Amino acid sequence: QDANTSSLDAFRALDPEAYLSTFTNSNTRPTGRPLHTTRPTTILPSILSRNTHGSSLVKIGNTQVLTGITLLVGHPGPLTPTHGDVDLSINLSPLSSQDYNVAGRLLPIVTEGEMSRSRTTSPRGYVDVHALESLVQRILRTSSLLNPNELCIQVGLSAWRVQITCMVLNHDGNLEDACLLGAVSALLDLKLPAVKIDMKGGGNGVVQIVSPSYDHEEDDMTEETKDANRITKLTIQKGTIPISLTMGIYDNHKILVDMTREEEVVCKGVVTVVVTTTGEIVSLTKCGGLAMSPEDMAACVHLAIGRAKEVEELLLSLDEAS
């Protein structure tokens, strides 16, 4: 048995593509997971109790993303005087994967006797953290998840700027789905604090966050204290939550959903479909040169809608519980 295990490990290391194909040709994976089945998904809201206004921890298999939200007061644009804004950043480090440096960039491959060269592990376009940030932020802004008017403080003068930070704790594949789910679940947990406008000194006034007080019984609170303890949650309507499903395409025309890091390395193309449970396609992105038939693309959309229904039920149940 030890000899067989050693032979499999050697086969896996020397030719990972052929190793994976021996399983996918039988419609399974090395772990026994079916091709169209996602890994177990766990969402823990309000994981950071201090210094954030909303947070979550998302686990998809061994991939883990910690997300926190902070708030800044900004000035709305002249064309959208009642709109706030959403900004997102994603942090990768050696903590998440040995392939990244402290700046979140892929480490170069260094071989003996050769100059260092850039790492090219797969055709996917979102290995670069900046491209991944752009993808997730674009989905959040173009979907119907947020009503930017709810972020308004003073029309034409001030509005909330929502800063979403995703920290990748462990990268075992499918960061697209994990980071988007982390951002969405943190927004569902977001609580906007009470504010007051200080008009001293004239001008447009200064926006001040009113710190809540927990030292009084509710019956003994003054109106000012009650206002300070009021928090506002964003209005999220069922059917508007964008959920993504990322799938890999292989030479044998097999489609694998929710790839691990090992599977991502040998895939020939990647499709990310973002939908709502109502069937609205928010985004569809394909990377890699392997052609897909209309039937295969339709199958990807069908799988994504099924995934969206599953995840939305989980998100809404957590929102109701909080």
Side-chain angles (χ1 to χ4, degrees):
Q1 185 176 0
D2 292 340
N4 290 336
T5 302
S6 299
S7 298
L8 283 174
D9 290 341
F11 181 27
R12 182 179 188 176
L14 293 172
D15 196 344
E17 186 173 352
Y19 174 78
L20 182 61
S21 295
T22 58
F23 292 91
T24 57
N25 288 333
S26 300
N27 294 322
T28 188
R29 309 192 199 201
T31 59
R33 178 162 59 107
L35 303 186
H36 295 169
T37 301
T38 58
R39 292 171 289 178
T41 301
T42 304
I43 304 172
L44 301 176
S46 304
I47 196 72
L48 301 175
S49 58
R50 300 182 61 182
N51 302 324
T52 64
H53 295 275
S55 62
S56 70
L57 175 63
V58 168
K59 301 178 182 179
I60 301 179
N62 292 326
T63 297
Q64 300 183 31
V65 176
L66 178 66
T67 305
I69 293 179
T70 55
L71 295 172
L72 297 175
V73 177
H75 190 84
L79 299 179
T80 53
T82 62
H83 286 194
D85 194 18
V86 176
D87 193 22
L88 179 133
S89 63
I90 297 173
N91 297 322
L92 283 157
S93 69
L95 176 67
S96 58
S97 171
Q98 62 182 1
D99 295 333
Y100 292 88
N101 61 18
V102 293
R105 296 180 180 177
L106 280 170
L107 292 171
I109 300 175
V110 179
T111 57
E112 188 175 353
E114 294 184 8
M115 297 181 62
S116 65
R117 60 184 187 276
S118 299
R119 183 184 300 271
T120 55
T121 56
S122 72
R124 51 196 294 112
Y126 309 115
V127 170
D128 180 13
V129 65
H130 298 297
L132 180 57
E133 288 174 350
S134 177
L135 172 71
V136 177
Q137 183 163 290
R138 185 171 68 249
I139 291 170
L140 292 177
R141 288 179 173 175
T142 57
S143 69
S144 303
L145 175 67
L146 290 178
N147 180 1
N149 292 310
E150 293 187 343
L151 302 176
C152 179
I153 301 174
Q154 293 176 287
V155 177
L157 299 177
S158 58
W160 290 116
R161 185 175 181 86
V162 180
Q163 299 271 10
I164 305 173
T165 302
C166 296
M167 174 68 71
V168 180
L169 302 182
N170 190 49
H171 177 15
D172 187 31
N174 200 7
L175 282 185
E176 294 90 345
D177 294 0
C179 289
L180 178 60
L181 186 54
V184 168
S185 56
L187 284 171
L188 289 174
D189 188 55
L190 174 62
K191 304 174 184 67
L192 298 178
V195 298
K196 66 178 182 180
I197 311 300
D198 187 359
M199 302 300 296
K200 293 180 181 178
N204 297 326
V206 177
V207 178
Q208 296 180 342
I209 296 178
V210 182
S211 300
S213 174
Y214 304 101
D215 299 332
H216 302 84
E217 296 293 336
E218 187 172 352
D219 295 339
D220 299 332
M221 288 183 182
T222 63
E223 287 300 319
E224 183 177 354
T225 304
K226 290 181 179 179
D227 288 340
N229 281 272
R230 286 196 185 101
I231 56 175
T232 304
K233 294 199 70 173
L234 298 179
T235 303
I236 306 294
Q237 296 182 355
K238 187 174 181 179
T240 63
I241 301 176
I243 305 297
S244 63
L245 183 63
T246 299
M247 294 153 276
I249 313 164
Y250 294 82
D251 275 337
N252 54 5
H253 297 285
K254 298 292 185 179
I255 297 175
L256 274 66
V257 307
D258 184 22
M259 294 175 292
T260 64
R261 188 75 186 277
E262 183 181 18
E263 293 166 348
E264 288 179 348
V265 170
V266 297
C267 71
K268 300 303 181 183
V270 176
V271 177
T272 298
V273 183
V274 185
V275 297
T276 64
T277 53
T278 59
E280 176 188 359
I281 299 177
V282 179
S283 172
L284 196 155
T285 307
K286 179 182 178 296
C287 300
L290 200 62
M292 291 185 67
S293 66
E295 292 77 13
D296 286 342
M297 193 64 74
C300 290
V301 174
H302 179 74
L303 289 169
I305 293 174
R307 172 67 170 171
K309 293 178 180 178
E310 171 190 339
V311 174
E312 187 184 66
E313 289 181 3
L314 177 60
L315 287 170
L316 292 177
S317 65
L318 293 173
D319 188 42
E320 292 172 359
S322 62

mmCIF file of all heavy atoms in Angstrom, residues 102-136:
data_model
loop_
_atom_site.group_PDB
_atom_site.id
_atom_site.type_symbol
_atom_site.label_atom_id
_atom_site.label_comp_id
_atom_site.label_asym_id
_atom_site.label_seq_id
_atom_site.Cartn_x
_atom_site.Cartn_y
_atom_site.Cartn_z
ATOM 1 N N VAL A 102 5.077 39.374 0.734
ATOM 2 C CA VAL A 102 4.372 40.210 1.711
ATOM 3 C C VAL A 102 3.582 41.326 1.038
ATOM 4 O O VAL A 102 2.684 41.912 1.656
ATOM 5 C CB VAL A 102 5.359 40.801 2.735
ATOM 6 C CG1 VAL A 102 5.941 39.709 3.604
ATOM 7 C CG2 VAL A 102 6.471 41.585 2.028
ATOM 8 N N ALA A 103 3.904 41.644 -0.212
ATOM 9 C CA ALA A 103 3.165 42.671 -0.952
ATOM 10 C C ALA A 103 1.955 42.106 -1.680
ATOM 11 O O ALA A 103 1.238 42.838 -2.353
ATOM 12 C CB ALA A 103 4.088 43.366 -1.953
ATOM 13 N N GLY A 104 1.730 40.781 -1.565
ATOM 14 C CA GLY A 104 0.588 40.165 -2.214
ATOM 15 C C GLY A 104 0.814 39.834 -3.671
ATOM 16 O O GLY A 104 -0.138 39.549 -4.404
ATOM 17 N N ARG A 105 2.062 39.824 -4.112
ATOM 18 C CA ARG A 105 2.367 39.521 -5.506
ATOM 19 C C ARG A 105 2.934 38.112 -5.615
ATOM 20 O O ARG A 105 3.576 37.605 -4.694
ATOM 21 C CB ARG A 105 3.374 40.532 -6.060
ATOM 22 C CG ARG A 105 2.832 41.952 -6.103
ATOM 23 C CD ARG A 105 3.858 42.913 -6.645
ATOM 24 N NE ARG A 105 3.346 44.277 -6.699
ATOM 25 C CZ ARG A 105 4.057 45.330 -7.083
ATOM 26 N NH1 ARG A 105 5.331 45.161 -7.448
ATOM 27 N NH2 ARG A 105 3.513 46.529 -7.098
ATOM 28 N N LEU A 106 2.692 37.489 -6.782
ATOM 29 C CA LEU A 106 3.218 36.149 -7.009
ATOM 30 C C LEU A 106 4.742 36.170 -7.020
ATOM 31 O O LEU A 106 5.354 37.043 -7.647
ATOM 32 C CB LEU A 106 2.700 35.604 -8.339
ATOM 33 C CG LEU A 106 1.288 35.024 -8.349
ATOM 34 C CD1 LEU A 106 0.856 34.760 -9.770
ATOM 35 C CD2 LEU A 106 1.212 33.762 -7.524
ATOM 36 N N LEU A 107 5.324 35.232 -6.325
ATOM 37 C CA LEU A 107 6.773 35.129 -6.315
ATOM 38 C C LEU A 107 7.263 34.599 -7.660
ATOM 39 O O LEU A 107 6.612 33.747 -8.276
ATOM 40 C CB LEU A 107 7.226 34.187 -5.201
ATOM 41 C CG LEU A 107 7.005 34.682 -3.772
ATOM 42 C CD1 LEU A 107 7.286 33.558 -2.791
ATOM 43 C CD2 LEU A 107 7.887 35.880 -3.473
ATOM 44 N N PRO A 108 8.397 35.072 -8.151
ATOM 45 C CA PRO A 108 8.944 34.536 -9.406
ATOM 46 C C PRO A 108 9.464 33.124 -9.203
ATOM 47 O O PRO A 108 9.833 32.728 -8.095
ATOM 48 C CB PRO A 108 10.077 35.505 -9.742
ATOM 49 C CG PRO A 108 10.492 36.055 -8.408
ATOM 50 C CD PRO A 108 9.233 36.121 -7.583
ATOM 51 N N ILE A 109 9.467 32.358 -10.273
ATOM 52 C CA ILE A 109 10.036 31.013 -10.246
ATOM 53 C C ILE A 109 11.540 31.128 -10.468
ATOM 54 O O ILE A 109 11.994 31.737 -11.436
ATOM 55 C CB ILE A 109 9.416 30.133 -11.339
ATOM 56 C CG1 ILE A 109 7.897 30.023 -11.119
ATOM 57 C CG2 ILE A 109 10.050 28.755 -11.343
ATOM 58 C CD1 ILE A 109 7.208 29.272 -12.228
ATOM 59 N N VAL A 110 12.305 30.556 -9.579
ATOM 60 C CA VAL A 110 13.756 30.605 -9.702
ATOM 61 C C VAL A 110 14.268 29.176 -9.814
ATOM 62 O O VAL A 110 14.038 28.346 -8.936
ATOM 63 C CB VAL A 110 14.395 31.306 -8.494
ATOM 64 C CG1 VAL A 110 15.915 31.316 -8.655
ATOM 65 C CG2 VAL A 110 13.868 32.719 -8.348
ATOM 66 N N THR A 111 14.927 28.883 -10.924
ATOM 67 C CA THR A 111 15.522 27.555 -11.112
ATOM 68 C C THR A 111 17.022 27.700 -11.243
ATOM 69 O O THR A 111 17.533 28.734 -11.687
ATOM 70 C CB THR A 111 14.961 26.873 -12.366
ATOM 71 O OG1 THR A 111 15.196 27.711 -13.495
ATOM 72 C CG2 THR A 111 13.460 26.639 -12.222
ATOM 73 N N GLU A 112 17.735 26.686 -10.872
ATOM 74 C CA GLU A 112 19.196 26.736 -10.877
ATOM 75 C C GLU A 112 19.717 26.945 -12.295
ATOM 76 O O GLU A 112 19.364 26.242 -13.225
ATOM 77 C CB GLU A 112 19.747 25.428 -10.306
ATOM 78 C CG GLU A 112 21.261 25.469 -10.095
ATOM 79 C CD GLU A 112 21.767 24.214 -9.428
ATOM 80 O OE1 GLU A 112 20.920 23.375 -9.013
ATOM 81 O OE2 GLU A 112 22.995 24.069 -9.320
ATOM 82 N N GLY A 113 20.576 27.955 -12.458
ATOM 83 C CA GLY A 113 21.190 28.215 -13.751
ATOM 84 C C GLY A 113 20.343 29.061 -14.671
ATOM 85 O O GLY A 113 20.723 29.317 -15.799
ATOM 86 N N GLU A 114 19.149 29.508 -14.185
ATOM 87 C CA GLU A 114 18.279 30.329 -15.025
ATOM 88 C C GLU A 114 17.940 31.612 -14.287
ATOM 89 O O GLU A 114 17.983 31.680 -13.059
ATOM 90 C CB GLU A 114 16.975 29.593 -15.370
ATOM 91 C CG GLU A 114 17.156 28.375 -16.237
ATOM 92 C CD GLU A 114 15.809 27.771 -16.596
ATOM 93 O OE1 GLU A 114 14.790 28.414 -16.283
ATOM 94 O OE2 GLU A 114 15.781 26.679 -17.175
ATOM 95 N N MET A 115 17.607 32.620 -15.060
ATOM 96 C CA MET A 115 17.125 33.858 -14.463
ATOM 97 C C MET A 115 15.700 33.652 -14.001
ATOM 98 O O MET A 115 14.970 32.814 -14.511
ATOM 99 C CB MET A 115 17.196 35.005 -15.482
ATOM 100 C CG MET A 115 18.602 35.343 -15.944
ATOM 101 S SD MET A 115 18.621 36.698 -17.122
ATOM 102 C CE MET A 115 17.929 38.021 -16.134
ATOM 103 N N SER A 116 15.295 34.456 -13.022
ATOM 104 C CA SER A 116 13.924 34.347 -12.511
ATOM 105 C C SER A 116 12.942 34.774 -13.583
ATOM 106 O O SER A 116 13.220 35.660 -14.383
ATOM 107 C CB SER A 116 13.761 35.224 -11.271
ATOM 108 O OG SER A 116 13.913 36.583 -11.594
ATOM 109 N N ARG A 117 11.801 34.140 -13.596
ATOM 110 C CA ARG A 117 10.769 34.494 -14.562
ATOM 111 C C ARG A 117 9.421 34.507 -13.850
ATOM 112 O O ARG A 117 9.264 33.937 -12.774
ATOM 113 C CB ARG A 117 10.723 33.493 -15.716
ATOM 114 C CG ARG A 117 10.418 32.058 -15.316
ATOM 115 C CD ARG A 117 10.494 31.134 -16.521
ATOM 116 N NE ARG A 117 10.048 29.789 -16.221
ATOM 117 C CZ ARG A 117 10.797 28.852 -15.680
ATOM 118 N NH1 ARG A 117 12.045 29.122 -15.330
ATOM 119 N NH2 ARG A 117 10.307 27.645 -15.456
ATOM 120 N N SER A 118 8.478 35.151 -14.464
ATOM 121 C CA SER A 118 7.162 35.263 -13.834
ATOM 122 C C SER A 118 6.494 33.901 -13.775
ATOM 123 O O SER A 118 6.679 33.057 -14.647
ATOM 124 C CB SER A 118 6.281 36.244 -14.611
ATOM 125 O OG SER A 118 6.867 37.516 -14.625
ATOM 126 N N ARG A 119 5.685 33.716 -12.745
ATOM 127 C CA ARG A 119 4.965 32.458 -12.580
ATOM 128 C C ARG A 119 3.743 32.455 -13.482
ATOM 129 O O ARG A 119 2.954 33.393 -13.478
ATOM 130 C CB ARG A 119 4.545 32.293 -11.121
ATOM 131 C CG ARG A 119 3.839 30.993 -10.812
ATOM 132 C CD ARG A 119 3.396 31.006 -9.367
ATOM 133 N NE ARG A 119 4.524 31.147 -8.476
ATOM 134 C CZ ARG A 119 5.222 30.141 -7.988
ATOM 135 N NH1 ARG A 119 4.906 28.902 -8.327
ATOM 136 N NH2 ARG A 119 6.232 30.355 -7.173
ATOM 137 N N THR A 120 3.590 31.421 -14.271
ATOM 138 C CA THR A 120 2.415 31.277 -15.124
ATOM 139 C C THR A 120 1.810 29.917 -14.850
ATOM 140 O O THR A 120 2.113 28.932 -15.517
ATOM 141 C CB THR A 120 2.778 31.411 -16.616
ATOM 142 O OG1 THR A 120 3.792 30.460 -16.905
ATOM 143 C CG2 THR A 120 3.285 32.801 -16.936
ATOM 144 N N THR A 121 0.951 29.854 -13.847
ATOM 145 C CA THR A 121 0.425 28.569 -13.417
ATOM 146 C C THR A 121 -0.831 28.174 -14.169
ATOM 147 O O THR A 121 -1.153 27.003 -14.278
ATOM 148 C CB THR A 121 0.109 28.608 -11.919
ATOM 149 O OG1 THR A 121 -0.795 29.692 -11.663
ATOM 150 C CG2 THR A 121 1.382 28.831 -11.115
ATOM 151 N N SER A 122 -1.569 29.121 -14.693
ATOM 152 C CA SER A 122 -2.820 28.789 -15.350
ATOM 153 C C SER A 122 -3.273 29.962 -16.199
ATOM 154 O O SER A 122 -2.767 31.066 -16.067
ATOM 155 C CB SER A 122 -3.899 28.447 -14.304
ATOM 156 O OG SER A 122 -4.318 29.624 -13.635
ATOM 157 N N PRO A 123 -4.280 29.774 -17.073
ATOM 158 C CA PRO A 123 -4.738 30.853 -17.931
ATOM 159 C C PRO A 123 -5.691 31.802 -17.239
ATOM 160 O O PRO A 123 -6.128 32.765 -17.840
ATOM 161 C CB PRO A 123 -5.473 30.105 -19.050
ATOM 162 C CG PRO A 123 -5.997 28.879 -18.394
ATOM 163 C CD PRO A 123 -4.946 28.488 -17.395
ATOM 164 N N ARG A 124 -6.057 31.555 -15.996
ATOM 165 C CA ARG A 124 -7.058 32.387 -15.334
ATOM 166 C C ARG A 124 -6.555 33.817 -15.224
ATOM 167 O O ARG A 124 -5.386 34.073 -14.975
ATOM 168 C CB ARG A 124 -7.412 31.822 -13.959
ATOM 169 C CG ARG A 124 -6.237 31.532 -13.094
ATOM 170 C CD ARG A 124 -6.565 30.631 -11.913
ATOM 171 N NE ARG A 124 -7.448 31.235 -10.957
ATOM 172 C CZ ARG A 124 -8.682 30.821 -10.744
ATOM 173 N NH1 ARG A 124 -9.164 29.824 -11.449
ATOM 174 N NH2 ARG A 124 -9.447 31.372 -9.859
ATOM 175 N N GLY A 125 -7.452 34.767 -15.382
ATOM 176 C CA GLY A 125 -7.049 36.158 -15.422
ATOM 177 C C GLY A 125 -7.065 36.858 -14.088
ATOM 178 O O GLY A 125 -6.797 38.054 -14.020
ATOM 179 N N TYR A 126 -7.381 36.164 -12.989
ATOM 180 C CA TYR A 126 -7.562 36.838 -11.715
ATOM 181 C C TYR A 126 -6.558 36.393 -10.667
ATOM 182 O O TYR A 126 -6.797 36.495 -9.482
ATOM 183 C CB TYR A 126 -8.998 36.636 -11.203
ATOM 184 C CG TYR A 126 -10.017 36.993 -12.240
ATOM 185 C CD1 TYR A 126 -10.857 36.042 -12.782
ATOM 186 C CD2 TYR A 126 -10.091 38.292 -12.718
ATOM 187 C CE1 TYR A 126 -11.765 36.373 -13.768
ATOM 188 C CE2 TYR A 126 -10.987 38.626 -13.709
ATOM 189 C CZ TYR A 126 -11.836 37.673 -14.223
ATOM 190 O OH TYR A 126 -12.722 37.992 -15.206
ATOM 191 N N VAL A 127 -5.409 35.855 -11.126
ATOM 192 C CA VAL A 127 -4.325 35.567 -10.191
ATOM 193 C C VAL A 127 -3.804 36.873 -9.624
ATOM 194 O O VAL A 127 -3.478 36.975 -8.452
ATOM 195 C CB VAL A 127 -3.209 34.777 -10.894
ATOM 196 C CG1 VAL A 127 -1.981 34.686 -10.016
ATOM 197 C CG2 VAL A 127 -3.700 33.374 -11.246
ATOM 198 N N ASP A 128 -3.745 37.913 -10.455
ATOM 199 C CA ASP A 128 -3.317 39.227 -10.011
ATOM 200 C C ASP A 128 -4.359 39.789 -9.060
ATOM 201 O O ASP A 128 -5.553 39.858 -9.375
ATOM 202 C CB ASP A 128 -3.146 40.139 -11.220
ATOM 203 C CG ASP A 128 -2.697 41.533 -10.829
ATOM 204 O OD1 ASP A 128 -2.283 41.720 -9.673
ATOM 205 O OD2 ASP A 128 -2.771 42.439 -11.673
ATOM 206 N N VAL A 129 -3.922 40.234 -7.882
ATOM 207 C CA VAL A 129 -4.850 40.688 -6.856
ATOM 208 C C VAL A 129 -5.606 41.926 -7.316
ATOM 209 O O VAL A 129 -6.783 42.114 -6.972
ATOM 210 C CB VAL A 129 -4.092 40.953 -5.535
ATOM 211 C CG1 VAL A 129 -3.109 42.092 -5.674
ATOM 212 C CG2 VAL A 129 -5.070 41.227 -4.400
ATOM 213 N N HIS A 130 -4.977 42.776 -8.121
ATOM 214 C CA HIS A 130 -5.658 43.995 -8.581
ATOM 215 C C HIS A 130 -6.788 43.655 -9.552
ATOM 216 O O HIS A 130 -7.834 44.304 -9.541
ATOM 217 C CB HIS A 130 -4.652 44.937 -9.230
ATOM 218 C CG HIS A 130 -3.572 45.395 -8.297
ATOM 219 N ND1 HIS A 130 -3.832 46.145 -7.163
ATOM 220 C CD2 HIS A 130 -2.228 45.190 -8.303
ATOM 221 C CE1 HIS A 130 -2.704 46.397 -6.528
ATOM 222 N NE2 HIS A 130 -1.714 45.824 -7.195
ATOM 223 N N ALA A 131 -6.578 42.649 -10.396
ATOM 224 C CA ALA A 131 -7.639 42.220 -11.303
ATOM 225 C C ALA A 131 -8.788 41.599 -10.525
ATOM 226 O O ALA A 131 -9.963 41.802 -10.861
ATOM 227 C CB ALA A 131 -7.091 41.224 -12.322
ATOM 228 N N LEU A 132 -8.467 40.841 -9.477
ATOM 229 C CA LEU A 132 -9.507 40.244 -8.649
ATOM 230 C C LEU A 132 -10.305 41.321 -7.917
ATOM 231 O O LEU A 132 -11.530 41.250 -7.828
ATOM 232 C CB LEU A 132 -8.881 39.274 -7.653
ATOM 233 C CG LEU A 132 -9.830 38.542 -6.695
ATOM 234 C CD1 LEU A 132 -10.887 37.764 -7.463
ATOM 235 C CD2 LEU A 132 -9.037 37.611 -5.785
ATOM 236 N N GLU A 133 -9.623 42.332 -7.406
ATOM 237 C CA GLU A 133 -10.310 43.466 -6.764
ATOM 238 C C GLU A 133 -11.260 44.148 -7.746
ATOM 239 O O GLU A 133 -12.411 44.467 -7.405
ATOM 240 C CB GLU A 133 -9.296 44.481 -6.255
ATOM 241 C CG GLU A 133 -8.516 44.051 -5.040
ATOM 242 C CD GLU A 133 -7.423 45.044 -4.690
ATOM 243 O OE1 GLU A 133 -7.162 45.962 -5.505
ATOM 244 O OE2 GLU A 133 -6.827 44.907 -3.615
ATOM 245 N N SER A 134 -10.772 44.373 -8.966
ATOM 246 C CA SER A 134 -11.585 45.034 -9.979
ATOM 247 C C SER A 134 -12.828 44.224 -10.299
ATOM 248 O O SER A 134 -13.931 44.776 -10.432
ATOM 249 C CB SER A 134 -10.749 45.261 -11.244
ATOM 250 O OG SER A 134 -11.525 45.835 -12.267
ATOM 251 N N LEU A 135 -12.684 42.898 -10.412
ATOM 252 C CA LEU A 135 -13.815 42.040 -10.717
ATOM 253 C C LEU A 135 -14.876 42.111 -9.629
ATOM 254 O O LEU A 135 -16.056 42.355 -9.909
ATOM 255 C CB LEU A 135 -13.341 40.597 -10.888
ATOM 256 C CG LEU A 135 -14.446 39.540 -11.014
ATOM 257 C CD1 LEU A 135 -15.138 39.666 -12.354
ATOM 258 C CD2 LEU A 135 -13.899 38.129 -10.829
ATOM 259 N N VAL A 136 -14.472 41.929 -8.371
ATOM 260 C CA VAL A 136 -15.439 41.898 -7.261
ATOM 261 C C VAL A 136 -16.089 43.266 -7.084
ATOM 262 O O VAL A 136 -17.308 43.372 -6.884
ATOM 263 C CB VAL A 136 -14.752 41.436 -5.967
ATOM 264 C CG1 VAL A 136 -15.735 41.470 -4.802
ATOM 265 C CG2 VAL A 136 -14.194 40.024 -6.135
#
